[in-house]
Every structure is written in C-alpha cells, then in structure tokens.
Amino acid sequence: MRNLGKLKLGSLEKYIKKRSTKTAFPYSITNIDVEIKKCLFVLGLLLFSPSIYSQVSTFHIKGKVNPEYNDNLVTLSTFIGDSIRSIDSTYVVDGKFSFEGPEYLYEQSLISMQYAPDSTFAIKFFLEKGPIEVELSRKPSIHSPFTTVYRQYRDSCKNIPKTFSIEGQTEDFYKAGWERFFAFKYQFKKRYIHNGIGRTLFLADAHYRDDPYFYKLYELLPDSEKERNDIKEAYQFRKDRDAQNSLVNKPFIDFTLKNVADEEKRISDYVGKSQLLFLDFWASWCGPCIAQEPRIKELYEKYKSDGFEVLGISLDTDKERWLNAIKNKGITWPELYVGDQERVKELRKLYCIVGIPLGILIDKSGKIVSVITAQWQHLKWVLEEYYKK
C-alpha cells in the first residue's frame, strides 16, 4: 500500500457516513442477556479458531461490482484519526477487483469507487488478516470474521433503548434499562479496546454522559493512544459532560442576550419571578430541539399554575432563521438568542454545553436544581417529583 503520510481526508470525507448512536430498538430488556451470549459465542469461535490463527497477518480482498463499471478506479484507504494513512488503488476488470497487504486494525478502513461525477460506492470495514469479500453497489457489503462479529454486536444493541424509553414508565425503569445496556456494550468493547473495533465504539459512545464504563475503557488504552487527537477530544467531551453535574446546587450564571426586539436582556431578569424557571437551550438547526418543543409546551401548560416558567435561549447567530423558528414553534414563553459566535462559545463554556437540547432548572432563590440532558421525559420526571412536595 502506498504511504501518503498524514494527508487530510478532503473530498473523501463526504463519502464516509457518520455513525448513528441513537437508533431505537425492538428487543425486550430480558433479551439483552441472550444477545450478550450470542455475541460472546461468535467471539469465542473467532478467538479459538485454529484456521484464523494459522493465517499470516495479510489481508486478501476479493471484490465484485457490476461489470458495467469495468475500468473504474477502486480505492482502499486507511486512516489515523482524521488523516489519511495510506491509499492503494486498482481497476475493475470483468466486474472484479482485489487488494492484498498487511493487516491494519488500528481503526476502520474504507473502500470506495466513484462511478459518476457526484456519486460514489463506499463502505467502511476492519482490514483484518485473511479473506475479505466485498461487493460494491448502492448497498455495499463486506464479509469477514471481524465484520461479522461487529455486525452481530451492532444489530444486537442498536434497538435496545426503545424497550425502556417508553412513555408512562418510571424513572427507575428507565435507569435500569440504561444500566443493562451499558453493561452489555462494555463487555464487548473491553475485549476489543486494543484494536479498531473497540476504539471505534469507544469514540462513538463518548457522548453517553451516564455511561459508567467510559473511564474504565479509557484507562485500558495505551498512553500513546491517549495522545491521539480523537481520543483527547472524546475524553474532553466526557469531562465537559461531567462538569454539567457540578452545576447542580450552585447559583445560576448570569448572561446578557437579546430578545425579538433586539433589546438586551439578562437571565437574571427572569430568575426569581417564578417557583421554577426552565432554561431551554436550543437552536433552529437542532432537529431534536424542535421535535421536543410540543412536549415541553404540554409540561408548561400542566405546571404553569404551580409556578413553572420557561425561558428559551437559542444558540442561533442568524436572527431571521431564529425568528422563523420561533414563529413555527408557536410558543408563549419569552425567547432570547445570543446572536454572536464568540458569545455562543462563551455561553457554552459557562453552562458546560456540549450538546443541545439542554435544560437548566432554576428555583426561586436562583439555585440550579437540575440539569436536563435526556430531553423532555427527563424534565417530566423532575417536575413530577418536585411538585409532589
């Protein structure tokens, strides 16, 4: 494979689809243990298969594609973080192509073929020793031992949260479901943390603020890997998430924003006017934020007579886009926006904002009583408990 050094991904980036970490699932909670056993069974077959270990550490890719793409260039790329480590290429002959070289499990690799000016077949996979079968099409596929294990793990866990993210269930039910889900994922990631499978999942799961295993996995990484930019970013992201918890029981942090009339308003102008004030951090470009607004409106209508108020705080910098979003939301509480990118960064730092939607619940004295990170349902549980008193 030709080593091109640390070239930036550039145009290849658009062909690499981002991993989805928040899909919903059909399994029951009691089936998670079954899924664990299935994954570990396949893993055991791989770990103790003499045929796997008898192979030298060389991969053999045999690929196929519709013969109408004969003479098209197929590219195999390996990466280090957001940089290209190496590129190899070949041409399609009689609907077939092949690659061969040393195993590379540091992270996922990419096979791609551009078949039109703005269209590309592409698939990411683990470049493991032994035979790897690839078929390029609009729904490309890979067949190899590690890919099989990875796919079984992904298929086993991708739908689990739906089983406990059910309306009407208690917070304890929800927490128990997440605990089992994190334990399931940890068993798999721990076994593979020293190669591309575990590392890929470690980075993908860094956004889970309540994952109790994040730091355990981090400590298993060699010191050299902890210096990688993507690992450092994931670690800092998690630390920032954890910092949100430290806001609870502390006084709110004041900040100057603007209302729809471009008048300057401070958060302190609204604190202390109600029993509870919910700071709803959102943006017009945030799909989950917009999607949960009707639910927040329902909670507002239910509890406003008990002294519950909402203050919308948008991270938008485009005023027109923000105003249009407010109009479409059809809300009745005050809305403010930042309007300046540098001040957005300042606000993010003050409230440890690493993602939205985010809610900060402040009592009449100005103390932060809760940080809402699980969207509207989390707020619902907090309000139910608060107004029991």
Side-chain angles (χ1 to χ4, degrees), residues 343-359:
R343 287 182 56 73
V344 168
K345 291 179 182 178
E346 184 181 351
L347 182 61
R348 281 182 177 272
K349 185 175 181 180
L350 289 175
Y351 278 97
C352 306
I353 303 172
V354 293
I356 52 175
L358 172 71

Side-chain angles (χ1 to χ4, degrees), residues 1 55 57-65 74-78 88-91 95-104 108-112 123-136 141-145 147:
M1 302 179 74
Q55 298 169 351
S57 298
T58 301
F59 68 81
H60 306 274
I61 295 177
K62 293 184 178 180
K64 61 181 180 179
V65 65
V74 180
T75 302
L76 170 63
S77 306
T78 64
D88 200 0
S89 59
T90 189
Y91 289 93
K96 298 178 182 179
F97 61 89
S98 63
F99 292 98
E100 188 172 285
E103 178 182 60
Y104 180 69
Q108 285 184 301
S109 299
L110 174 76
I111 278 187
S112 59
I123 188 168
K124 296 180 77 172
F125 66 106
F126 298 101
L127 195 57
E128 63 195 275
K129 64 185 178 183
I132 303 174
E133 297 179 5
V134 180
E135 183 172 358
L136 292 180
S141 62
I142 294 277
H143 297 284
S144 66
T147 302

